[in-house]
C-alpha cells in the first residue's frame, strides 16, 4: 500500500508542477513576482517540458504502430503460422491440442480477439502507475476431449512500469523484460563508455590539429583515415581493427564478465570509429570560424594565432558539437549489434535483433520503449548543454 501511495503522490506532484509552470509561464498566476517568474517561467524550462510532452506523444504513437504491426504478424495467414514457429512439437499434436496451445501462448503474450483492449492494457502496464505484476504461465490439459487452461503465478512485485516477460529468448526465458534490459544495458554501457572517452579524447584534439595545420601532414593523414572509414563497410572495418587489436597486439578477443582487458578491443574499435566523425566536424567548424570577420579583426589587433585559435575560434566551433556529448554517453547504454556479435558481448545491441527473430514481442516492444526514452533524454540534455556553452543563449527573460 505504501508503494501505491508514494507512486500516485509522485504522479500528482509532477502533474501539479507542469500545470504550475505553464500557468506561471503564461503569466496567469504570479505575474507580479519577478523571482517566481524568473525560475518557473524560464523559457528553457517551459521549452523542456513541452519538448518532453511532444516526445512522449511520439513514443505513444510509435508504440501503437509497433503494437498493431506485431498483431498483424501474429494473425498472418490462418492465424496459426506464428504458433507453428514457437511451438517446437506442433506437427506431433492433434488439432484440439494445437489450437489450445496456440490460444494459450497468445494469452501469455497479451493477444486476444480485441486488439484495442490489448492496446489499452499494454498502455496501462507501461505507464508509470503503481501496479502489482506477476509472472504468469498458462498450461493446457485435455481430458476426455475437454480443454482446460491452468494458470500459475510466481514472482509477484510492485512496480511502476511493467514491460512483460521474456518468452522465447534462450537464457532469459521467464525473466522480466525490464530486468533483462537493465542487465544487458549495464554490460553494453561498460564497453560503450570506454569508447565514448576514447573518441572524445582523441577526436577533439585531432580535429583541432587538422584545422590548425590545414593541408599539412597531420591534416592529410587525418583526412585519409576519415575517408577510409567512409569507404570501408562498417562490419569489414570492425574486423580489420579486431585483427590489429587482438591478433597483432594480443588483446583478448572474447568478452568475459568482470575482465577489463576483454572490454578494450571492442571499446577501442568503437572509439577509433567514432573519433573520425568528431575530428571531421571539429575541423570543418573551426575552418568556417577562421574565415569569420571577428577572426580577421583579432588578427588585425595583433593577437597570436594560438590565442585566436583557443580563445575565440574553438569556443564558437565547439558549440554545435557539445550537444552530441549527452547522446553519445546515453547511447553507450544501447550498445552496437555488430561489435557485440563479433566479440561475444551479451549486451543489449543484439537483443532487439534476437527478439525480432524469435518473435519475442514483449522484449521487442520493451527495447523500443527504452530506446525512445533514451533518445528523448539525449536530445533534451543536448539542448540544455548547448544553452550552457553558447554565449548567445541566455537563461533570463531579459
Amino acid at each position: 500500500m505504501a508503494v501505491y501511495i508514494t507512486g500516485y503522490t509522485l504522479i500528482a506532484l509532477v502533474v501539479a508542477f507542469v500545470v504550475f509552470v505553464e500557468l506561471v509561464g503564461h503569466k496567469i498566476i504570479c505575474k507580479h513576482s519577478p523571482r517566481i517568474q524568473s525560475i518557473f517561467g524560464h523559457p528553457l524550462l517551459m521549452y523542456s517540458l513541452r519538448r518532453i510532452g511532444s516526445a512522449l506523444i511520439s513514443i505513444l504513437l510509435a508504440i501503437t504502430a509497433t503494437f498493431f504491426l506485431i498483431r498483424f504478424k501474429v494473425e498472418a495467414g490462418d492465424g496459426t503460422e506464428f504458433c507453428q514457429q514457437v511451438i517446437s512439437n506442433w506437427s506431433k499434436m492433434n488439432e484440439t491440442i494445437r489450437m489450445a496451445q496456440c490460444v494459450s501462448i497468445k494469452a501469455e503474450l497479451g493477444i486476444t480477439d480485441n486488439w484495442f483492449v490489448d492496446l489499452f492494457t499494454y498502455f496501462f502496464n507501461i505507464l508509470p502507475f503503481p501496479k502489482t505484476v506477476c509472472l504468469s504461465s498458462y498450461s493446457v490439459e485435455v481430458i476426455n476431449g475437454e480443454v482446460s487452461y491452468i494458470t500459475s503465478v510466481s514472482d509477484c512485485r510492485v512496480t511502476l512500469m511493467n514491460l512483460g516477460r521474456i518468452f522465447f529468448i534462450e537464457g532469459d526465458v521467464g525473466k522480466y523484460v525490464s530486468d533483462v534490459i537493465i542487465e544487458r544495458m549495464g554490460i553494453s554501457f561498460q564497453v560503450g563508455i570506454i569508447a565514448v572517452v576514447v573518441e572524445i579524447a582523441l577526436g577533439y584534439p585531432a580535429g583541432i590539429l587538422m584545422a590548425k595545420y590545414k593541408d599539412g601532414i597531420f591534416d592529410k593523414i587525418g583526412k585519409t583515415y576519415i575517408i577510409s572509414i567512409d569507404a570501408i563497410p562498417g562490419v569489414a572495418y570492425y574486423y580489420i581493427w579486431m585483427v590489429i587489436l587482438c591478433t597483432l597486439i594480443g588483446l583478448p578477443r572474447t568478452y568475459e564478465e568482470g575482465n577489463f582487458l576483454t572490454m578494450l578491443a571492442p571499446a577501442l574499435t568503437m572509439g577509433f570509429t567514432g573519433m573520425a566523425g568528431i575530428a571531421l566536424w571539429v575541423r570543418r567548424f573551426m575552418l568556417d570560424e577562421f574565415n569569420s570577420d571577428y577572426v580577421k579583426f583579432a588578427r588585425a589587433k595583433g593577437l597570436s594565432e594560438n590565442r585566436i585559435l583557443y580563445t575565440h575560434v574553438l569556443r564558437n566551433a565547439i558549440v554545435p558539437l557539445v550537444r552530441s556529448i549527452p547522446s553519445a554517453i546515453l547511447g553507450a547504454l544501447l550498445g552496437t549489434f555488430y561489435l557485440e556479435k563479433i566479440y561475444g558481448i551479451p549486451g543489449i545491441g543484439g537483443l532487439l535483433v534476437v527478439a525480432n527473430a524469435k518473435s519475442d514481442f514483449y522484449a521487442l516492444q520493451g527495447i523500443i520503449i527504452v530506446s525512445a526514452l533514451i533518445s528523448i533524454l539525449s536530445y533534451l540534455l543536448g539542448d540544455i548543454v548547448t544553452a550552457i556553452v553558447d554565449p548567445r543563449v541566455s537563461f533570463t527573460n531579459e
Side-chain angles (χ1 to χ4, degrees):
M1 180 60 70
V3 176
Y4 279 81
I5 294 174
T6 303
Y8 282 115
T9 300
L10 289 176
I11 293 172
L13 290 174
V14 170
V15 172
F17 175 76
V18 173
V19 172
F20 179 73
V21 169
E22 287 295 325
L23 292 176
V24 171
H26 289 89
K27 297 184 178 180
I28 297 175
I29 62 173
C30 303
K31 58 183 178 181
H32 299 300
S33 178
R35 185 169 183 79
I36 293 178
Q37 283 289 332
S38 65
I39 297 175
F40 296 100
H42 195 286
L44 183 60
L45 177 59
M46 296 184 64
Y47 167 80
S48 300
L49 292 177
R50 290 170 183 170
R51 182 74 177 267
I52 292 173
S54 61
L56 290 177
I57 293 174
S58 300
I59 289 179
L60 292 178
L61 292 175
I63 293 171
T64 302
T66 305
F67 186 91
F68 283 113
L69 286 173
I70 286 174
R71 266 121 191 97
F72 280 121
K73 180 180 179 179
V74 171
E75 300 299 338
D78 60 1
T80 63
E81 293 181 6
F82 164 74
C83 296
Q84 294 180 44
Q85 294 174 3
V86 299
I87 299 177
S88 57
N89 56 346
W90 176 268
S91 59
K92 299 178 181 179
M93 299 178 179
N94 62 45
E95 187 66 22
T96 302
I97 297 179
R98 281 180 182 175
M99 299 311 298
Q101 289 282 9
C102 192
V103 172
S104 174
I105 288 177
K106 289 182 178 180
E108 288 189 90
L109 291 171
I111 299 173
T112 67
D113 293 334
N114 194 324
W115 291 10
F116 289 97
V117 171
D118 295 344
L119 177 62
F120 287 121
T121 300
Y122 188 72
F123 276 145
F124 173 77
N125 286 333
I126 64 174
L127 291 175
F129 298 110
K131 56 187 73 73
T132 300
V133 298
C134 300
L135 292 179
S136 302
S137 61
Y138 301 84
S139 59
V140 179
E141 286 188 2
V142 180
I143 302 175
N144 298 325
E146 294 293 329
V147 178
S148 299
Y149 296 96
I150 302 173
T151 304
S152 59
V153 177
S154 62
D155 191 12
C156 295
R157 62 174 66 173
V158 178
T159 183
L160 292 179
M161 179 181 287
N162 175 27
L163 298 178
R165 70 180 178 93
I166 301 292
F167 284 89
F168 309 118
I169 299 177
E170 295 178 6
D172 293 317
V173 175
K175 296 181 181 178
Y176 284 103
V177 171
S178 56
D179 292 348
V180 174
I181 290 177
I182 291 172
E183 178 185 350
R184 296 206 178 199
M185 282 176 61
I187 296 172
S188 295
F189 187 74
Q190 293 177 46
V191 177
I193 196 63
I194 299 173
V196 171
V197 172
V198 170
E199 65 184 39
I200 291 177
L202 297 180
Y204 281 92
I208 293 170
L209 292 175
M210 290 171 67
K212 183 177 181 180
Y213 302 106
K214 181 177 179 293
D215 296 327
I217 297 297
F218 191 88
D219 187 34
K220 291 179 180 178
I221 294 174
K223 287 190 291 186
T224 301
Y225 179 68
I226 293 170
I227 292 172
S228 68
I229 289 180
D230 290 335
I232 301 174
V235 178
Y237 178 79
Y238 292 154
Y239 277 108
I240 291 173
W241 271 112
M242 184 193 72
V243 172
I244 295 173
L245 295 172
C246 299
T247 304
L248 300 181
I249 297 179
L251 290 175
R253 183 185 181 281
T254 305
Y255 171 83
E256 294 178 9
E257 187 176 358
N259 189 342
F260 177 76
L261 286 178
T262 62
M263 302 180 195
L264 285 181
L268 290 175
T269 301
M270 194 185 307
F272 291 152
T273 305
M275 66 166 282
I278 293 177
L280 172 65
W281 286 105
V282 169
R283 177 185 183 276
R284 182 172 298 175
F285 284 132
M286 290 190 67
L287 291 179
D288 288 342
E289 294 297 324
F290 274 131
N291 296 321
S292 300
D293 291 336
Y294 74 88
V295 173
K296 298 176 182 177
F297 181 72
R299 285 174 176 155
K301 289 177 62 177
L303 296 180
S304 66
E305 287 297 319
N306 283 336
R307 184 174 179 183
I308 293 173
L309 173 67
Y310 295 108
T311 304
H312 300 287
V313 173
L314 182 59
R315 182 181 180 184
N316 288 307
I318 208 171
V319 168
L321 293 167
V322 294
R323 68 176 294 114
S324 64
I325 293 178
S327 62
I329 295 173
L330 292 174
L333 291 166
L334 300 177
T336 304
F337 169 69
Y338 290 114
L339 277 177
E340 292 182 358
K341 186 72 173 178
I342 292 170
Y343 290 99
I345 303 171
I348 199 172
L351 187 61
L352 180 64
V353 177
V354 175
N356 184 57
K358 295 284 187 179
S359 298
D360 209 313
F361 300 135
Y362 274 130
L364 185 62
Q365 292 177 133
I367 297 168
I368 291 173
I369 292 170
V370 172
S371 300
L373 290 173
I374 289 176
S375 298
I376 290 173
L377 186 58
S378 298
Y379 285 122
L380 180 60
L381 291 178
D383 291 341
I384 294 174
V385 170
T386 301
I388 293 174
V389 300
D390 192 342
R392 293 166 294 185
V393 178
S394 174
F395 280 102
T396 65
N397 294 320
E398 299 176 358

